[in-house]
Amino acid sequence: MAEPSLRYRRLDPQGDMVLGNGSGTFLTGVEAMRQAISTRLKLLQGEWWERPQDGLPLFQQMLGKPATQAQKELMDLLITERIMDTKLVEGVEAVRSEMQGRAYAYSAAVRTAFGETPVEVRY
C-alpha cells in the first residue's frame, strides 16, 4: 500500500497564502495536517459560495446560545466531527473544552496518518 502524502500551501500569521518561495511555501506531513484541520475549523457554514452547506455552523448552531452543558456538548461534537471529516485524520482523543459566559475553548490530540498533532480553538 502506498504511503499517504499531503502537501498544503503555508499560511502566514495573518492567514494569507505564502507565495514565491519555492518548496518553502508548502507544508507536508503532520504540519500539513495541522493546517488542514485549522483551515477546516475556520471555514464557516455558508461562507464558501460553491458549497454553502460546508463549514462549521458557528453562527447557526454554536454562538449566541445559552451557556448550558448541553450547548457545550453540542459544540464539542460539531468540532470533533469537523476534525474527523478531515482527510487522513484517524482519531480525536483527549478532548477538553470549557465554556465561560460567551467564551468557548476546545483542545484535543488528533491522530493522523502522519502522527499526532494538537488542536486548539477559541470562539
Side-chain angles (χ1 to χ4, degrees), residues 87-99:
K87 181 180 176 181
L88 300 173
V89 165
E90 298 173 347
V92 177
E93 301 168 346
V95 172
R96 296 183 62 177
S97 66
E98 184 177 19
M99 184 179 258

Side-chain angles (χ1 to χ4, degrees), residues 5-114:
S5 66
L6 181 65
R7 192 168 112 145
Y8 237 72
R9 187 167 293 277
R10 184 181 303 273
L11 300 179
D12 68 16
Q14 290 75 37
D16 296 321
M17 284 190 259
V18 175
L19 304 171
N21 289 329
S23 63
T25 62
F26 293 96
L27 301 171
T28 58
V30 75
E31 287 181 314
M33 284 302 308
R34 188 176 314 116
Q35 185 167 305
I37 293 165
S38 175
T39 301
R40 285 181 51 76
L41 292 175
K42 290 177 183 174
L43 178 67
L44 304 179
Q45 192 174 65
E47 188 174 25
W48 187 21
W49 64 273
E50 196 169 58
R51 292 177 55 193
Q53 293 306 315
D54 192 15
L56 194 63
L58 193 66
F59 297 110
Q60 294 86 348
Q61 295 181 24
M62 297 171 71
L63 297 182
K65 309 291 185 204
T68 63
Q69 182 64 27
Q71 182 62 23
K72 180 180 153 308
E73 290 171 5
L74 173 65
M75 292 174 72
D76 293 349
L77 179 65
L78 291 169
I79 292 170
T80 301
E81 286 178 345
R82 184 85 178 143
I83 293 169
M84 286 298 298
D85 286 343
T86 305
K87 181 180 176 181
L88 300 173
V89 165
E90 298 173 347
V92 177
E93 301 168 346
V95 172
R96 296 183 62 177
S97 66
E98 184 177 19
M99 184 179 258
Q100 291 184 347
R102 294 183 178 184
Y104 171 82
Y106 173 102
S107 66
V110 179
R111 281 184 296 107
T112 76
F114 306 100

